[in-house]
Amino acid sequence: MNPVLILLSVVVLSLSACAQVERAEITSDRDEETAGARLYAQYCSVCHGNHGRGGVGVPLALEDFLESVSNQYIERTIRLGRPGRVMPAFPRLTDQEVQAITEYVRSFHWADEPLFSSEPVEGDPELGGKLFIAFCARCHGANGEGGEGTGVSFSRPTFIPILAPALNNAGYLASASDQVIKRSLALGRERTPMRSLSAMGLSEQNIDDLVSYIRSFQTLSADRAAIKRPVDAVLVQQSPHSYEQTIERIRQAVVNSGHSVVREELLGEGIVDPGEGERKQYVVYFGSLQIISDGLAHDPRMGLFLPGKITIVEHAGVVKVLASNPEQYTALFNNIALSDFAAMLHGIYLAIFKEATS
Ligand code: HEC
Ligand code: HEC
């Protein structure tokens, strides 16, 4: 099987249906059968690995990580995610569920939650900016935008074991207090590319300056924070043409939009609903090499939307064209690249619908 398809099915299966597999794994390990472990297996392990060993998501079982962050940081990270990055937001989990997951993550390392003062850190963001360019930008990006690629993406160099997180991210900045950032810098994360700045010889003042600089990203990122707007799950347009004409017009509009029809499928023609007459259903799949290779090069999950699929139905004398809106899925991913791609596909559907039904 093509590696793209394999990766894709892994992601899709894991994200949707493998809760049961994960559960089976956990039940074989009796002492971990807590609510937190089950929820972690269901929602987090696909990216952060079993027992927090890491994967597409950073490892969570690191001692230095758990020593650097408060429970509030973990809870907020789960709630808010990292808009525009791979880490999703989980707004629908209850407070108890979020706490249970946090406790489970905490249990990766024996120690209790570390204590943090609530004092803001006072540093010089300008000096911090200079240090940032000198010591941090090569991994975290010139503007703290994080490592390139979306994690699962082929655009991510495989020799980098862990993608540097985005620091200019609204989700990160809203989750991390000054003291959490400060301790993350001082300790670093052993067994990751992130080194301890104290061990590198930077002074406490240097670290404070860096914290103030990272904090100054907040104003920049406020307007980037993803504002979720509700999207229609299904795109529908009534056609003034006959069923057969509409199919032909869809084919034509697909070609005019720069794509080609890759497959067609007759679904249930001639099914008769009592009292409502005949129902006819036909599916046209479309795509283009360009769109498929661009999409997949960026992230294999783009394959969720490819090829495009348009259904033409005639029911009770009314002809309609329908497609599921790719934008409804990307809301789950919290990833700007995926969202942009889905928005573009949405636009293509609307253009094809408009032309075919005008
Ligand atoms: C060699 C690459 C590299 C360099 C250089 C580097 N980092 Fe990191 N940084 C990482 C990686 C990778 C992680 C994620 C580690 C983990 O938790 O698994 C990270 C984590 C962090 C975190 C925690 C973020 C989060 O979401 O938990 C902060 C804050 C941070 N780095 C700041 C800095 C600063 C400031 C500098 C410069 C002084 C710097 N880093 C230099 C790679 C790097
Ligand atoms: C689709 C993949 C994915 C899923 C699912 C996911 N995460 Fe993440 N998570 C990531 C990535 C990637 C990052 C790093 C953020 C970045 O790149 O800017 C991250 C970051 C984090 C961080 C911050 C780590 C640090 O070093 O500060 C925590 C905590 C976290 N995730 C917890 C969770 C928990 C708990 C769940 C389940 C409720 C979860 N994540 C689900 C991908 C994921």
Side-chain angles (χ1 to χ4, degrees):
M1 196 153 98
N2 169 333
V4 169
L5 288 178
I6 296 177
L7 241 178
L8 183 67
S9 13
V10 169
V11 171
V12 172
L13 280 176
S14 325
L15 284 180
S16 55
C18 81
Q20 285 192 329
V21 178
E22 301 277 8
R23 221 164 267 152
E25 256 172 44
I26 290 218
T27 31
S28 67
D29 200 345
R30 310 275 347 157
D31 53 357
E32 275 189 57
E33 226 188 321
T34 61
R38 268 196 307 280
L39 290 162
Y40 179 89
Q42 188 175 349
Y43 295 113
C44 323
S45 63
V46 52
C47 293
H48 290 286
N50 289 335
H51 310 285
R53 276 190 224 106
V56 167
V58 293
L60 299 176
L62 299 171
E63 208 172 308
D64 287 330
F65 164 66
L66 292 166
E67 286 293 341
S68 305
V69 301
S70 57
N71 285 2
Q72 189 188 55
Y73 171 81
I74 301 175
E75 287 166 15
R76 287 194 184 169
T77 300
I78 297 170
R79 276 265 179 265
L80 304 172
R82 301 278 163 93
R85 304 285 291 174
V86 178
M87 171 71 198
F90 292 90
R92 286 198 200 94
L93 293 174
T94 64
D95 287 348
Q96 286 88 329
E97 287 171 324
V98 170
Q99 277 162 21
I101 297 171
T102 300
E103 254 168 55
Y104 177 68
V105 169
R106 209 24 101 199
S107 76
F108 292 144
H109 175 47
W110 54 268
D112 289 338
E113 179 187 6
L115 293 175
F116 291 91
S117 93
S118 53
E119 286 289 298
V121 167
E122 308 276 354
D124 179 342
E126 241 171 80
L127 288 176
K130 293 194 177 117
L131 291 167
F132 193 85
I133 293 300
F135 293 105
C136 325
R138 81 186 156 96
C139 294
H140 289 283
N143 300 301
E145 65 273 25
E148 273 282 322
T150 52
V152 241
S153 163
F154 292 133
S155 60
R156 170 186 174 188
T158 48
F159 59 85
I160 298 180
I162 303 167
L163 206 63
L167 303 176
N168 69 357
N169 188 277
Y172 177 67
L173 294 167
S175 303
S177 68
D178 284 4
Q179 297 294 340
V180 162
I181 303 177
K182 181 170 178 171
R183 201 166 305 166
S184 297
L185 299 186
L187 286 183
R189 307 266 160 92
E190 206 182 326
R191 289 181 286 131
T192 80
M194 178 67 201
R195 296 179 57 199
S196 152
L197 301 195
S198 308
M200 279 169 66
L202 273 78
S203 68
E204 183 170 0
Q205 188 57 53
N206 291 153
I207 294 178
D208 287 353
D209 294 345
L210 277 163
V211 173
S212 303
Y213 178 66
I214 291 171
R215 194 48 85 196
S216 74
F217 289 138
Q218 196 137 8
T219 41
L220 302 175
S221 70
D223 41 71
R224 279 196 67 211
I227 297 160
K228 293 267 158 65
R229 59 197 161 85
V231 295
D232 298 327
V234 182
L235 310 171
V236 193
Q237 180 71 50
Q238 191 168 330
S239 170
H241 310 288
S242 74
Y243 174 69
E244 287 76 14
Q245 277 171 342
T246 304
I247 295 174
E248 183 47 37
R249 293 178 68 96
I250 285 285
R251 288 188 190 115
Q252 201 52 53
V254 161
V255 172
N256 292 347
S257 73
H259 299 83
S260 46
V261 173
V262 294
R263 189 153 64 89
E264 300 190 15
E265 196 177 0
L266 182 65
L267 284 183
E269 191 144 329
I271 296 174
V272 178
D273 292 340
E276 290 191 43
E278 199 181 21
R279 178 203 287 272
K280 297 179 183 171
Q281 208 162 322
Y282 196 86
V283 184
V284 172
Y285 295 90
F286 71 96
S288 73
L289 265 183
Q290 187 62 37
I291 205 172
I292 291 175
S293 61
D294 282 0
L296 295 180
H298 208 93
D299 192 309
R301 288 173 302 180
M302 304 281 188
L304 280 172
F305 322 118
L306 304 167
K309 177 180 172 187
I310 296 173
T311 306
I312 300 102
V313 289
E314 179 179 343
H315 189 213
V318 177
V319 179
K320 286 181 184 165
V321 290
L322 305 128
S324 66
N325 186 353
E327 288 195 288
Q328 73 178 303
Y329 306 113
T330 46
L332 300 172
F333 288 121
N334 210 352
N335 177 307
I336 283 174
L338 274 172
S339 304
D340 287 352
F341 186 76
M344 181 200 69
L345 268 181
H346 182 180
I348 292 174
Y349 277 118
L350 293 184
I352 293 174
F353 280 19
K354 192 169 170 212
E355 187 178 326
T357 60
S358 61

